[in-house]
Every structure is written in C-alpha cells, then in structure tokens.
Amino acid sequence: MDELLREGREGLRRYAEQTRDLAERDNRARAVMALTQVAPDLRQRYPQMLRLAFERELGDNPLSTIIDSGPSSIRFDQLELMDEQQVQQRISTVRGLQQVLLESELELSELNALVSALMGFAQVRSERNPLRPEVYLEVLQTLLAEQPGDARTHACWSQVLVPLLGKPLREVYRSLLVQLRQQRVQPARYVINRPVQTAGGAYAQNRDTSRGPAAEAVANPGAAPKPVAAAGAQLTVQQLHGLMSGSAQNPEQLAQEVVNLIIANIAGDPRILPPVWQLIYEMEPALLVLARTDLNFFHDKKHPARLLLEEVVQHSFAYPDETAPGFDDFLAHLRLALGEIDPVRAGHPATFAAALERLHRHWAQAAQVREAQRQAAVQALQQAERRNELARQIADHIRQQADTVLVPDIVVDFACGPWAQVMAKARIDGSAGGSGGADHVALLEDLFWSVRPDLTRQQPGQLVKLIPQLVQGLRQGLALIDYPAEQTEHFFAQLFALHQGGLEGMSSARSLRAVPAPAQGPWLAPEEARDSGFMNDMAEEPRVDFAATVPADFPATEPMGLVDRASETEPAPLELAADAGLLQLDQLRPGSWIELQVSGQWVRLQLVWLSDNASLCLFSSSSGANHSMTRRMFDRLVTQDQLRLVSQGAVVDRAFDAVAELAMRNSVYMDIQADPQP
C-alpha cells in the first residue's frame, strides 16, 4: 500500500500537469490532496480487510468477486442496475485488471499451482487461490469507495491506482514463491481441458455465421481486445447502458445492431444443427421489429420472444444430427410454428407467445408417454434413495455397537449391507416390529450370537435349535428386497461353515482382510433398476469372493455390501475424475444435455433428475428411453470418454452476455486509445 500510494500520488500529479483542460486539471489536483489525506486510513485498513478477504476465501463459502470470471466479464442484465458512473467505473476496473494480470502473469501461474496444492487440490484451481489479483483489487476498490469524497474523486483514484497494483503485487508473489519453494511445496498439476466434441461439431467448420468482425468477436469472447473498423464492432458498454436505460441517441439503430449480434451468437453455436440455426436466422426480421418497439426484450429474461428462442434451441439439443429419429417431425412442427410469426405484427410479444404455445401443445402430446415412464423411473430412484439413506444410518448404528468387533467380518458386512436394506425397507413399509411381521432386529441379534463360539459353545443345543429358524427368517427378509438368489446362497454357504465350526468347537476368529470395510454408493433392487433403466457399473469387473475382498459397487442384479457414509466424500478408487479435472455429476443441473456411448453409438440424453447428494441420477432421451446410474458409474464413463457434456444452462442468456462482453472489450480498447497512460 505504501508503494501504491507513492506511485499513485506521483501519477496523479503528472497527469494533472499534462492535462490541458483547466477544470480537469483542478479535479486531478484535488484528487492528489484528497489521496494524501486518506493515506493513513488506507495504510491501516487495507491489510486488515485483506486478511478478512483471505479468511473468507479459505472458508466453506468463498465469495467470487465481481470480476472473477474474466477480464472482460460483465452480464447483460447487470447494465440495468448501473448508472453512468458505475459503468465507467467497471470499464476502469476491467482495464486495470488486465494490466495487473499482465504484470504478474508469470509469478501468478506458479503461485496458483503451489497454493492449489496447499489447499488439497490435485489440479490447479486458480479461482480458489485466496491471493489472486481479483481479491486484492476488490478489497482496494471497496476501501477507496468508503473514503470521503465525491464520485469524480473516487473514479480518479481508481483510474490511477488500480493499474499500478500489478508491480507491487508481483513483488508480493515473488516473496511468497521463495517461501513456498524453501518449504519444498510440490505444485498441483495443470490440466488441459479437452474440448467437447459433439455430433454437431462438424457443422461449425463449414458454417459462415459471421456478420462482420463483431460477430466473430462474440464467437470468441476470450480474445484479446483489438480495434475493428466495422461499425458493428464499435458497440460499447455505454451504448448498451443507454439502450437499457432508454437514453440512447439512436435506439432503433442500436437495437438492430444488438439483435444482429445476439442472433449471430445463438445461430453460431456449433451444437445447433444447420436447419435449426437457419430458422433462427429467419426470425431475425421479426425480432428487429420487436426490439424497436418493446425494450422489455432486453430487460426481461422471461420475455416470450426470449423464451421461444431458448425452447427452440434446448429442444434441438435432443438430436445429435439431422438423421436422428424424430428430427424430421421436430423440424416440421418448428417450421409451422415459427412460420406464423408475421414480421409486420411482431412488435407485440403476444405474437411470439402464440408460436411458443403451439410448440408446447405439440411437445406435450409427444411427451405424455415419456413423462409417465420418467415419473416411474424417478419414483423408483427416490424410493431407493430413501431406503439407502435409512440403511446407511442402520449400518452406522450396527458398526458402533461394542460387541460388533467380536463378530466375523463376513457377517458384519452382510448385516451392514443387505440386512440393513431389509430393515430399512421394513421400516419404510411400516412392517418393522408389527404384529405378525418378522422381527429383523431380533434376527440380527440371533445371527451375531450364532457366529460367536465363545457364546455358542456354552449352549450347543440352543445353536442347533436356532439355525433352521434363523436361516428361514433371513431368507424371508432377503426376499423382501429381491436379493439375488446366487448371492443369497453364497452367503449361506459361508454362514454354514461358521456354524459348523461352532458346533465342532473350532475357533472362529474374525477373518483378516487387507482392505477396509466396504464403502459403496446406493443399492437398487432389480425391480427398481428395471424401472429406472439402471446401468450396471460392474459389467466389466470380474466376480469377487464375498468373504475375501470388498465388492466394488452395486450392479443392478447383484447388489452387495455395506452402504457407508464415507463414500459420500471419498472418491472411487477406479475413477478419480475430480483429480483429473473432468466433468463432475454434481456440476450438472436438471435440463443439462449429455452424449452417452451406448453399444458403440452416441445417444443424446437430458438430465431429468438428480438426488440431493448427487449419488444417483436419471437421464432421458427424446424417444423416452431412461438411463440411470450412480455417481461412480458417471465418473467411470467420463474417464473412459464415453460420456460428455453437450450443453448446460440458458443459451440465449449467454448470447446476451457475450454481446455485453464484446461491448466491454470495445470500451476498454477505446478507453486506452483515448488515454494510453491513465
């Protein structure tokens, strides 16, 4: 802060002397004096506020700064909430951040890797680095805004101090790097994100979606700012703000330019098939008429025209290519509905609402059968999830009992796995402990007693009498959850050996294992697996000995083992997708589109249900086929390149935001041209 204040005062004086405008010179001179007055408060409070920011970032709920998502980041809807001064402030912030990142780029790259390792990440997570420049910048701006003075003075401070932050921050990073190297911290690895290759990706290479340099810039929002001579590339944040606030000088021309860019961005998405993006382009004249008369198109995310565009795009994602089953019918109804939009009458949102309603009616008729199948699948998964949660609690309770350590491992695993499922189902069905119903707790107590020679050798006659009743009760309980017969007989064979050893007076010590207690995801009964299209994630793994090792996870027809809470936080041993920087199930939201390789063919699916803890999920195709899986199965498919993300989130909103980011880059470039040395 000392260096920043020293350089800042010198810079303000120099700029004041170079300014020919007398009023501006006086403003900058007053800013120098005001900065000198508030310097003691800045020196004292900046370290304190930084420490609080670091602690926040290291806590359970890190707070992303307003500029964390990129140097040109700004959302279209943010402009509505800003005044002109705030717009200029954001431009100065973005310009300053670019300079800071440029100054500290090399040091920051290494620091991100080391700090990510210290925070326990196997791969670099630069957005979680509490020492990232955005945090320093956010704290600096907050502190400056709290100082006495008018908005002009604050803007002048920010314009000068923010770009100067880079050099002293680079020295801070260098000092930290020396310390971390001395402590032999091993850096996390950088992961190269593989581009998503969709079936529609090939169309992007042959498609001409550009409407001039501006459209090209929208399609590449990460590109560095550069001057573009075309009129469309001169759109600025100030102009967008004027359009949103109603103060634009040429609102109709500006609205046309913005609509052109939005449509070019939507139709330029390589995931949208050519016949669909052609129809979107054909909507452009009607949208231009609407934008000139109804500014709510830019303000309201729920505007019928925006909803229509979004629905068209999202439904088109169901088809990976033009030969996909059902695409011709989808396209035909799309043409009929959109063809009724008359550009002459398009100035009223009801025109677009009517087209959307027609599409909804057609889609609803086709979706009735699929919806019934989906609801049955979701119900099966929710039933399994509820039972598994209760089974987890029962298993925890069993393992916490003091006498459990005296019971052979094979029996404990059975009790905490299949039998916990039986007890959970009985409780949910209301039959646990009821009149005429089996007492599953008593059966479990009898089971544990029967495999402890230290107890049974004292009452061998009781053991002989108990075994037939015990086996019958266990079989009836397992039948409640449709436990596979093969696995049932395998367990009883092991149990018979334990009982035989007890009757013969042999020692039945706990079996020793080289692996810890099983830790699996949720288990589905065969009927639940069938109703939900459950995918067997044991298909490629050999059968394992129940007594010798830990079963890996639950197949649809061979459920086995303990459901343990530890599985909620511990990654599966075969699929460390998180460490590899790959797609994670808990990153998805219902409505997301993926592609799944089934029998060598890529199938387009939509996420329709996700459990609260992201342990189970359900995907559905446009034809109504359901595919459910566990998180472990999802990770495996992603790791083996058999599952990939196609789209998530609102495409239309992203197109609006891309235009705002383009305008921001143009504004920053023009600001640099007007004042190369702020």
Side-chain angles (χ1 to χ4, degrees):
M1 178 54 67
D2 285 337
E3 182 177 353
L4 195 61
L5 290 172
R6 182 171 58 254
E7 294 291 336
R9 285 194 295 266
E10 184 62 29
L12 281 169
R13 292 192 186 97
R14 184 170 63 254
Y15 302 147
E17 294 172 356
Q18 295 173 353
T19 302
R20 296 182 179 180
D21 184 274
L22 294 179
E24 184 62 25
R25 180 181 299 178
D26 290 341
N27 289 332
R28 294 190 175 184
R30 284 195 296 270
V32 174
M33 295 178 59
L35 185 60
T36 302
Q37 293 174 353
V38 301
D41 187 64
L42 295 177
R43 289 192 186 94
Q44 179 183 2
R45 294 181 57 201
Y46 191 56
Q48 298 172 355
M49 294 178 65
L50 273 176
R51 178 178 291 277
L52 292 176
F54 296 155
E55 292 174 352
R56 176 198 67 196
E57 293 296 318
L58 290 170
D60 295 332
N61 298 302
L63 179 64
S64 296
T65 70
I66 59 173
I67 45 182
D68 260 339
S69 50
S72 60
S73 176
I74 188 171
R75 296 196 308 273
F76 200 95
D77 58 358
Q78 288 177 327
L79 292 170
E80 185 178 2
L81 305 176
M82 295 181 176
D83 56 29
E84 294 181 5
Q85 187 65 42
Q86 290 172 320
V87 170
Q88 186 58 47
Q89 179 73 17
R90 176 61 70 88
I91 294 172
S92 297
T93 298
V94 172
R95 178 182 176 181
L97 178 60
Q98 289 178 347
Q99 181 64 32
V100 171
L101 292 173
L102 182 63
E103 291 279 358
S104 59
E105 181 178 7
L106 294 178
E107 291 79 7
L108 183 60
S109 177
E110 184 178 357
L111 185 66
N112 282 334
L114 295 175
V115 171
S116 294
L118 286 174
M119 296 180 70
F121 300 123
Q123 65 170 3
V124 175
R125 297 281 301 276
S126 56
E127 81 282 359
R128 292 297 307 276
N129 181 2
L131 306 173
R132 63 191 184 276
E134 291 86 346
V135 175
Y136 281 87
L137 179 54
E138 185 88 355
V139 172
L140 175 62
Q141 289 191 314
T142 300
L143 184 55
L144 291 177
E146 293 176 356
Q147 302 302 315
D150 56 25
R152 185 184 295 271
T153 298
H154 289 166
C156 191
W157 289 346
S158 180
Q159 185 181 16
V160 173
L161 293 177
V162 169
L164 293 174
L165 183 62
K167 289 182 179 180
L169 189 56
R170 181 177 59 188
E171 296 304 317
V172 171
Y173 289 164
R174 286 177 175 175
S175 176
L176 288 171
L177 288 175
V178 170
Q179 296 180 42
L180 295 176
R181 290 169 188 155
Q182 290 175 346
Q183 297 178 34
R184 300 182 183 275
V185 176
Q186 297 301 311
R189 65 179 183 272
Y190 276 93
V191 176
I192 300 176
N193 293 325
R194 290 170 290 183
V196 176
Q197 299 293 332
T198 66
Y203 297 114
Q205 300 177 0
N206 302 321
R207 187 188 314 175
D208 181 14
T209 61
S210 64
R211 295 294 186 89
E216 180 181 355
V218 171
N220 298 279
K226 57 183 179 180
V228 186
Q234 300 306 309
L235 177 69
T236 66
V237 173
Q238 294 92 331
Q239 289 176 319
L240 274 184
H241 181 261
L243 179 64
M244 298 286 284
S245 63
S247 61
Q249 295 181 354
N250 299 306
E252 292 187 2
Q253 179 181 351
L254 185 58
Q256 178 174 344
E257 181 179 352
V258 173
V259 169
N260 286 339
L261 291 171
I262 291 171
I263 294 299
N265 183 266
I266 296 173
D269 192 320
R271 300 163 299 184
I272 302 176
L273 299 177
V276 178
W277 60 255
Q278 185 61 43
L279 287 176
I280 293 175
Y281 265 134
E282 292 174 3
M283 290 178 62
E284 189 171 17
L287 291 171
L288 290 174
V289 173
L290 174 70
R292 294 191 190 104
T293 58
D294 185 9
L295 287 179
N296 282 330
F297 175 70
F298 300 109
H299 291 273
D300 186 8
K301 290 185 176 183
K302 300 298 183 182
H303 191 283
R306 292 176 67 162
L307 292 178
L308 176 61
L309 285 170
E310 188 67 42
E311 293 271 12
V312 168
V313 171
Q314 291 294 337
H315 279 78
S316 75
F317 286 154
Y319 309 98
D321 54 59
E322 297 175 55
T323 64
F327 179 73
D328 289 340
D329 179 70
F330 165 75
L331 189 63
H333 282 87
L334 205 58
R335 285 182 174 138
L336 287 175
L338 300 184
E340 292 186 351
I341 299 178
D342 184 359
V344 177
R345 296 180 298 173
H348 199 284
T351 304
F352 297 89
L356 182 59
E357 178 61 27
R358 174 166 183 165
L359 287 174
H360 279 167
R361 286 197 301 269
H362 170 68
W363 291 334
Q365 293 174 358
Q368 285 181 352
V369 176
R370 297 199 304 269
E371 185 61 26
Q373 295 173 337
R374 290 179 184 178
Q375 288 300 324
V378 170
Q379 184 177 0
L381 292 174
Q382 289 176 333
Q383 174 179 287
E385 182 187 29
R386 182 183 176 191
R387 189 188 62 252
N388 276 281
E389 174 59 30
L390 183 54
R392 273 194 291 269
Q393 298 174 14
I394 293 173
D396 284 344
H397 179 73
I398 293 173
R399 287 198 179 274
Q400 290 170 3
Q401 301 306 303
D403 292 345
T404 301
V405 298
L406 302 176
V407 177
D409 288 334
I410 183 70
V411 177
V412 175
D413 290 348
F414 172 82
C416 294
W419 199 250
Q421 295 282 338
V422 172
M423 296 173 69
K425 178 172 175 53
R427 289 189 188 179
I428 292 174
D429 294 344
S431 59
S435 58
D439 189 339
H440 300 106
V441 175
L443 282 169
L444 180 61
E445 293 174 350
D446 289 343
L447 174 63
F448 279 8
W449 179 87
S450 71
V451 294
R452 287 185 54 185
D454 60 317
L455 299 178
T456 57
R457 69 167 57 100
Q458 300 174 11
Q459 297 177 295
Q462 180 67 21
L463 177 59
V464 172
K465 181 179 179 181
L466 174 66
I467 288 176
Q469 300 175 1
L470 175 63
V471 172
Q472 181 181 5
L474 293 177
R475 288 186 181 277
Q476 291 175 348
L478 293 175
L480 292 176
I481 61 170
D482 296 325
Y483 196 66
E486 183 179 357
Q487 296 285 2
T488 299
E489 297 308 320
H490 192 81
F491 170 73
F492 280 123
Q494 300 286 342
L495 183 61
F496 174 78
L498 292 173
H499 286 162
Q500 188 69 23
L503 289 172
E504 296 175 356
M506 298 171 56
S507 174
S508 179
R510 288 171 53 83
S511 57
L512 300 178
R513 296 184 300 181
V515 293
Q520 273 115 57
W523 176 84
L524 269 70
E527 182 180 356
E528 296 166 339
R530 183 182 63 251
D531 290 345
S532 63
F534 185 70
M535 300 180 65
N536 184 352
D537 68 341
M538 287 280 283
E540 299 180 0
E541 296 188 9
R543 184 179 304 280
V544 294
D545 188 347
F546 181 80
T549 186
V550 178
D553 204 352
F554 56 97
T557 57
E558 297 182 0
M560 179 62 70
L562 166 70
V563 181
D564 190 83
R565 293 190 185 211
S567 64
E568 297 302 319
T569 57
E570 295 179 0
L574 299 179
E575 289 77 40
L576 299 179
D579 286 345
L582 302 178
L583 178 66
Q584 295 289 289
L585 180 58
D586 53 10
Q587 295 174 349
L588 298 184
R589 297 293 178 270
S592 302
W593 288 95
I594 65 161
E595 282 184 333
L596 177 68
Q597 195 174 49
V598 180
S599 301
Q601 299 293 323
W602 287 100
V603 178
R604 191 68 62 85
L605 301 170
Q606 188 175 35
L607 179 63
V608 295
W609 180 82
L610 182 66
S611 65
D612 292 338
N613 58 8
S615 61
L616 280 173
C617 60
L618 174 67
F619 295 93
S620 181
S621 70
S622 60
S623 63
N626 293 319
H627 298 268
S628 66
M629 65 186 75
T630 64
R631 176 165 51 188
R632 182 177 187 272
M633 181 61 168
F634 182 92
D635 290 346
R636 171 180 296 176
L637 293 171
V638 171
T639 305
Q640 297 175 348
D641 293 325
Q642 293 179 297
L643 188 152
R644 58 200 184 192
L645 178 66
V646 174
S647 176
Q648 177 169 235
V651 173
V652 175
D653 289 347
R654 286 202 299 267
F656 274 73
D657 292 342
V659 174
E661 291 187 1
L662 169 65
M664 174 60 77
R665 292 197 301 275
N666 288 337
S667 293
V668 170
Y669 174 77
M670 293 178 183
D671 194 55
I672 293 174
Q673 292 296 98
D675 189 3
Q677 296 181 346

